[in-house]
Each structure stands twice: as C-alpha cells, then as structure tokens.
Amino acid sequence: MRTLVLGAGISGRAASRLLGRLGMEHRIYDRRADALEDAHPGAETACGEWDPSVLAGVSLVVASPGFMPHLAPLTDARAAGIPIWSEVELAARHLDCPVIAITGTNGKTTVCRQTTEMLQESGVRAVAAGNIGVPISDVLPGSCDVVVLEISSFQLHYTYSLAPRVSVFMNVADDHVDWHRSLVAYRLAKGRISRHLTDEDLLVYDRGDAGAVAHALGSPGRKAPVTGSEPGPGPEGPFGLSGDGLVLPDGPVPVRDMPDLDYSFRVNLAASAVAAVELGADPAAVARVVSRFRHRHHRRTVVGSLGDVTWVDDSKATNPHAAMAAIRSYPSVVLIAGGVRKGLDLSPLVRAPNVRYMVAIGECGPDLVEMAPDMPTALAGSMEEAVRMASDQARAGDTVLLSPGTTGFDMFTCYEHRGNVFIRHVDEYLGRVRAERGPPAQASTGAAE
C-alpha cells in the first residue's frame, strides 16, 4: 500500500517516520521544496503547485492539519475514492498502551500537561503527545504506560478508530469556521473523541459548559462530570476542588497550599485529576501537582504593575470563548483585542460589562471598533501603539489585558510571539515611567542632620 503524506511540517514528518519504521512505501508532498530537504530517506517527495498526478498509485492519504478539507489535494483524493486519515489516526492503530484523549475549544493544553504530570508524579510512565509534547507517531512501542493526547478538531476530523480509555471533553465554543466551513462541522469533529467508548471507558466533561453537557448526553461510556465551582457531595459528582482539597470519584483528597484560581483553571485541574486517577495516578501525588500549579506563560500571566494598574498577558486566548473567560476574571478591564477573525462572532468582547475601554488591533480591529458604538475604543496599528493607548486610558484598579480572542497571524508568527512582543513593550513602558518618576522618596527618620 502506497501512502501519500500531505505536508512536511511537524505532523507530516512524524507520520513519515512512522511509515518508515513500518517499512511502508510512501511519498510526501509539500508546496515548498525547502520543507522537504530533510525528508525521511525512504520517502519519495513531490513539491510545487498541486498536481492530481501526485495521487497516482496512492491507496491512503495522511493529511496534516494545515490542509483544509476543501482544498484541492483533499477534494481530489475524495473524488478518487482514496481514504483520508489524520496523523493521529495512523499512529493510533500502532500504539501498545492506553490513551487519555483531551479536546475542547479551550483548556486542553493545560489539562494535557497537568494530567501527564500527575501520572508521572505517581511513577506512571506517561508521555504528552499530539498538539503538546511529541507527535503521537513518534511514541515508540514499549516506551510508556499511558499516552496523554491533546487532540484538535482538525486531527479528530479524520479519525475513525481512535478508542481512548479516557476521553476528556472540556468545552465547545465557536471556533475554526475557516477550516471546518461551519460550526456544525466543527462540533461534529470534536464529538468524534468519544465515539468508541465502551462501558469500561470513561468520559470526563465540564458540567458547567452547555456544549460539553450536550456531548455527554449522547455519548457512550461511563460519565464523570467535573466543575470549577463547589463539587457535589455524592459519588455521581460533579468532582472538583473544594475549599481544602479534591473531591474525586473515590472520595476526598486533601491538598496542601490550595492555589487561588478562577473557574476555568479549577475545572481544568479537576478534569486532569479524575482522568489521571482513572489510569493509575496516586491521589496523594495528584494533590501535590495541584498544590504547585501556576499559570503558564501567555495564559493570564501578570507582566507588571504600576500605580494600582496591573498588566496581564493572555495571548493564548485565540478565540472569543477563551478571551471571555479571562475578561470575567478582573473587575475593570482595559482590553487589547483583535487579529484574524476566523469568521467568529466577536461581539461578546464588546458587550462585556467590565471592559471599560478597548484598544483594537489587527485585521479585524476596525470591525471591533464598529461593533462597539457604546464603548470607548481606539484602533492601534501596532502592539507598541496599543500598549501606549492602553496606558493612557488605564486608571487605578484597572487590569490592562491582552486577550485577543483571535489568532494573530496577520501581525505575528504565533500566540507566543504576540505575547512576547506585548511583554517587551509593557516592560519598556513601565521602565520609562519609573525612570521619569525617579526613585521613591525616603521617609524621614526625624534625626537631626
């Protein structure tokens, strides 16, 4: 069987390596010739503008996430009756250990990272794979006891046999309409994560998210609802963080030094704990991981403060659902938002009652300004200008929040780049203001000179 791998990026190269280990004949196509320079030595290569002749003799296509279903390589493959798999589908057929699969519009990276850490803290050989850690195709037989898989809607779209031992469905909100072409298609792709659950398997879901609840109602498998609010008292849950510990399906677990977190991070930790314990994590080890949890970079990270104004980097918020979770965490917000809209409804950002002022940036900046006739707004042409405008408007008690609600590929290479540029300009601004004000006055001791 000859396989065609579409794309020579991270997932495409990993699929090629797996096919090479399996001794399977394959070809890699990428539009850019330089992307193929270090291709697997056993693979044929093809580059340049797409030509349907690349499909000659191919009996399977493995598509990288960058290839949207409506693009010619995939429409031609479907017209030719050639099966299309994601890299995850290819790899899942060759794993020799159970999988915890995690999806959601937001929160899946945090849940994947914490679940992996909880298992490792318990002495379980766990590896984070998929959109975090290593590509799942690079997980070698015998190398781990559990794969913790962060899986996107793009990867789920072309999965058919993935059968996780634990599925974690955090939430579903409007996103990636540009890829899926409709919100219905996006939600259907997300739902594929639990299609093969049995009575022996577990579905963990956020009881506070309507989309996750709707998914759970129609899903097979045992159910474990989790919450970022106060957990339930009984064995049916919801499970989560109480005042002094965790409430898990097998009972309460005390947590020393419980972190002070909002709903979204609390529910993420609850989901991680339930999933990890289901596959062998020690509850005491899970509690230790919870106690040392801290926000990661670009996820509501405090950058600095001055004059009772706090600056927060939430560049990871690449859709309105994530941005609103951040906005609700602060009583008075000067918001920096905007970028590539992806066909999403951004109006919740301009309707949030605690957003006092908004600085709009990027491709959809003018749209945001137009949507907000009753909110003071400004349009910035760069992140440096946005920081300056926000600083001019901020007053005591405000949080200046970068929470774009969009991707930033119109101005930046990725959300990390966007967040780092924000941090740099905030640091420059704060340093300049402090230098202008000079050192703080020393209190008099009353001693005679």
Side-chain angles (χ1 to χ4, degrees), residues 401-415:
L401 174 66
L402 171 67
S403 196
T406 66
T407 58
F409 297 124
D410 52 341
M411 299 172 67
F412 309 98
T413 59
C414 58
Y415 78 83

Side-chain angles (χ1 to χ4, degrees), residues 257-344:
D257 302 323
M258 179 72 75
D260 183 17
L261 303 168
D262 64 18
Y263 182 98
S264 61
F265 285 109
R266 290 171 69 88
V267 76
N268 289 344
L269 285 172
S272 301
V274 172
V277 169
E278 177 71 13
L279 283 192
D282 173 34
V286 169
R288 290 195 296 272
V289 173
V290 170
S291 68
R292 62 177 182 247
F293 175 82
R294 298 294 182 272
H295 295 182
R296 304 285 295 189
H297 293 307
H298 311 302
R299 294 170 178 83
R300 290 177 238 172
T301 306
V302 175
V303 175
S305 60
L306 185 68
D308 203 25
V309 174
T310 303
W311 297 74
V312 174
D313 165 25
D314 191 46
S315 185
K316 183 67 165 65
T318 58
N319 56 64
H321 184 267
M324 288 304 300
I327 289 167
R328 295 187 187 105
S329 299
Y330 309 100
S332 181
V333 172
V334 176
L335 178 66
I336 300 175
V340 180
R341 188 170 180 175
K342 301 186 292 183
L344 301 177

Side-chain angles (χ1 to χ4, degrees), residues 30-98:
D30 197 290
R31 185 174 181 179
R32 294 170 39 242
D34 61 322
L36 297 164
E37 289 177 356
D38 298 321
H40 189 279
E44 300 176 15
T45 60
C47 63
E49 294 297 322
W50 171 252
D51 186 330
S53 65
V54 174
L55 292 170
V58 168
S59 54
L60 173 67
V61 169
V62 176
S64 298
F67 283 78
M68 300 182 184
H70 60 276
L71 297 180
L74 292 172
T75 59
D76 288 345
R78 287 196 296 272
I82 302 172
I84 302 169
W85 295 355
S86 65
E87 178 248 342
V88 171
E89 173 66 18
L90 174 69
R93 294 171 178 247
H94 300 282
L95 289 176
D96 63 349
C97 63

Side-chain angles (χ1 to χ4, degrees), residues 206-270:
D206 178 4
R207 197 188 70 162
D209 182 83
V213 171
H215 172 77
L217 288 173
S219 173
R222 296 180 292 118
K223 313 290 171 55
V226 293
T227 181
S229 302
E230 193 65 22
E236 302 301 318
F239 309 107
L241 279 67
S242 65
D244 56 0
L246 280 163
V247 176
L248 299 177
D250 289 336
V253 181
V255 175
R256 183 178 179 182
D257 302 323
M258 179 72 75
D260 183 17
L261 303 168
D262 64 18
Y263 182 98
S264 61
F265 285 109
R266 290 171 69 88
V267 76
N268 289 344
L269 285 172

Side-chain angles (χ1 to χ4, degrees), residues 87-425:
E87 178 248 342
V88 171
E89 173 66 18
L90 174 69
R93 294 171 178 247
H94 300 282
L95 289 176
D96 63 349
C97 63
V99 173
I100 298 174
I102 300 160
T103 199
T105 304
N106 299 299
K108 53 186 177 291
T109 299
T110 299
V111 175
C112 185
R113 181 178 287 113
Q114 298 306 311
T115 303
T116 305
E117 187 175 347
M118 290 169 178
L119 288 163
Q120 292 174 343
E121 183 84 4
S122 305
V124 178
R125 295 185 307 159
V127 61
N131 280 357
I132 181 177
V134 301
I136 190 170
S137 291
D138 284 337
V139 178
L140 300 177
S143 64
C144 62
D145 301 318
V146 178
V147 172
V148 184
L149 173 65
E150 179 188 332
I151 186 165
S152 70
S153 61
F154 310 148
Q155 296 160 321
L156 280 164
H157 183 80
Y158 290 119
T159 59
Y160 308 97
S161 64
L162 178 66
R165 178 66 181 74
V166 179
S167 292
V168 181
F169 195 105
M170 292 308 302
N171 46 62
V172 59
D174 297 352
D175 204 359
H176 299 305
V177 177
D178 53 343
W179 200 96
H180 292 282
R181 311 301 273 184
S182 76
L183 293 174
V184 171
Y186 169 65
R187 290 169 182 258
L188 287 173
K190 285 289 190 188
R192 298 174 76 89
I193 194 169
S194 58
R195 63 189 307 201
H196 293 305
L197 293 183
T198 71
D199 292 342
E200 300 299 317
D201 304 322
L202 183 68
L203 171 65
V204 181
Y205 68 96
D206 178 4
R207 197 188 70 162
D209 182 83
V213 171
H215 172 77
L217 288 173
S219 173
R222 296 180 292 118
K223 313 290 171 55
V226 293
T227 181
S229 302
E230 193 65 22
E236 302 301 318
F239 309 107
L241 279 67
S242 65
D244 56 0
L246 280 163
V247 176
L248 299 177
D250 289 336
V253 181
V255 175
R256 183 178 179 182
D257 302 323
M258 179 72 75
D260 183 17
L261 303 168
D262 64 18
Y263 182 98
S264 61
F265 285 109
R266 290 171 69 88
V267 76
N268 289 344
L269 285 172
S272 301
V274 172
V277 169
E278 177 71 13
L279 283 192
D282 173 34
V286 169
R288 290 195 296 272
V289 173
V290 170
S291 68
R292 62 177 182 247
F293 175 82
R294 298 294 182 272
H295 295 182
R296 304 285 295 189
H297 293 307
H298 311 302
R299 294 170 178 83
R300 290 177 238 172
T301 306
V302 175
V303 175
S305 60
L306 185 68
D308 203 25
V309 174
T310 303
W311 297 74
V312 174
D313 165 25
D314 191 46
S315 185
K316 183 67 165 65
T318 58
N319 56 64
H321 184 267
M324 288 304 300
I327 289 167
R328 295 187 187 105
S329 299
Y330 309 100
S332 181
V333 172
V334 176
L335 178 66
I336 300 175
V340 180
R341 188 170 180 175
K342 301 186 292 183
L344 301 177
D345 178 15
L346 302 179
S347 61
L349 276 61
V350 304
R351 293 198 302 263
N354 53 327
V355 175
R356 194 177 60 75
Y357 192 93
M358 180 180 65
V359 180
I361 60 173
E363 183 181 291
C364 71
D367 294 339
L368 281 169
V369 171
E370 187 176 346
M371 289 178 199
D374 300 323
M375 177 191 292
T377 60
L379 184 63
S382 66
M383 185 63 78
E384 181 178 15
E385 187 179 11
V387 168
R388 179 180 59 77
M389 289 177 169
S391 67
D392 289 343
Q393 297 298 324
R395 63 193 185 196
D398 281 346
T399 297
V400 178
L401 174 66
L402 171 67
S403 196
T406 66
T407 58
F409 297 124
D410 52 341
M411 299 172 67
F412 309 98
T413 59
C414 58
Y415 78 83
E416 289 102 333
H417 180 213
R418 177 170 58 191
N420 289 336
V421 172
F422 172 74
I423 292 169
R424 174 162 56 85
H425 289 305

